[in-house]
Amino acid sequence: MARTSLPLLALIVSLSYTAVVANNTTPELVDPVTFIEASCSATTYPPVCIRTLSKHAREIQERPHRLAQTALTETLARVETTEANMLKLTNMKGLKPMEYGALKDCLDQLVETVDRLSQSLRELQKLGQAQGEDFSWHNNNVETWTNEALNQVWACAGGFSGQTLDGKIKDSVQAQTTKVGGLISMVLELVQHLEGKKLSH
């Protein structure tokens, strides 16, 4: 069997390496985590924003619309969980009449919050295909309903203001409403930054 010359062997190895590299490289290098971190830096609570969205980095990539939509979807799910938690609290034994009343009011506020965020999510989905005046219309609707949702959460928390309701129930309600309020604020800030940006799915 004839021996392959060294120059020919080197050429074969070089061509093989080039083929492997060509088959395993993408046209552009995307760093979605860096994009998420940069976007979250403009929000009031960057660590919360990054922690919430970084697990969806592959889906978000570098798309502002998908970033806002993911943030809203995550926030809506958290509010629904909080609503369920409040319902459990209303069924606790030994509640004071004022605690029960405040919890019922809070639960009503959270039902409204879920409704407003659901409306916002539907509008945000339409926003991805909108342009010009339609874009501004849908974007304004998202901002309006998200802001209303935030006000509902703060109204829930406000029902437990004052020392009369001090105790474990109040602490639990305020801790949960603070968390979801922070998430809704994050969504609102991300949506406000969509204006003027080129959106894509």
Side-chain angles (χ1 to χ4, degrees), residues 39-55:
S39 300
C40 287
S41 67
T43 66
T44 304
Y45 309 103
V48 174
C49 180
I50 294 170
R51 185 167 60 250
T52 302
L53 298 175
S54 59
K55 58 186 176 182

Side-chain angles (χ1 to χ4, degrees), residues 15-201:
L15 290 175
S16 299
Y17 175 78
T18 301
V20 170
V21 171
N23 289 331
N24 288 279
T25 54
T26 55
E28 60 180 31
L29 295 177
V30 178
D31 185 3
V33 174
T34 299
F35 168 71
I36 291 171
E37 291 174 346
S39 300
C40 287
S41 67
T43 66
T44 304
Y45 309 103
V48 174
C49 180
I50 294 170
R51 185 167 60 250
T52 302
L53 298 175
S54 59
K55 58 186 176 182
H56 300 288
R58 180 176 296 181
E59 176 187 355
I60 292 170
Q61 292 298 322
E62 294 182 317
R63 295 172 288 188
H65 175 258
R66 186 57 60 86
L67 179 79
Q69 187 171 321
T70 302
L72 182 50
T73 301
E74 285 285 311
T75 298
L76 178 57
R78 181 66 65 86
V79 175
E80 289 174 333
T81 298
T82 303
E83 179 190 348
N85 291 340
M86 294 300 170
L87 182 59
K88 290 179 181 178
L89 289 178
T90 62
N91 294 320
M92 286 183 61
K93 294 181 179 180
L95 285 177
K96 300 174 185 177
M98 289 187 65
E99 287 178 326
Y100 180 79
L103 279 172
K104 287 292 289 182
D105 289 342
C106 179
L107 188 56
D108 290 341
Q109 300 287 355
L110 290 177
V111 170
E112 291 294 324
T113 301
V114 169
D115 180 66
R116 296 295 183 271
L117 291 179
S118 297
Q119 288 178 304
S120 295
L121 184 57
R122 287 193 291 270
E123 282 295 294
L124 192 54
Q125 290 167 343
K126 296 175 183 177
L127 187 66
Q129 304 298 329
Q131 295 180 356
E133 293 183 0
D134 286 341
F135 179 94
S136 296
W137 167 259
H138 292 301
N139 192 63
N140 288 337
N141 286 341
V142 175
E143 288 187 27
T144 298
W145 286 327
T146 303
N147 193 58
E148 287 180 4
L150 183 60
N151 290 335
Q152 297 287 352
V153 170
W154 295 146
C156 165
F160 285 84
S161 61
Q163 298 180 350
T164 307
L165 292 171
D166 283 355
K168 292 182 179 179
I169 298 296
K170 176 180 177 178
D171 292 343
S172 177
V173 170
Q174 291 190 334
Q176 293 185 69
T177 52
T178 297
K179 288 181 180 179
V180 295
L183 288 172
I184 296 173
S185 295
M186 170 194 73
V187 171
L188 190 57
E189 290 166 333
L190 291 175
V191 169
Q192 288 170 343
H193 283 87
L194 289 179
E195 189 71 46
K197 290 188 176 182
K198 183 179 180 180
L199 304 182
S200 64
H201 288 281

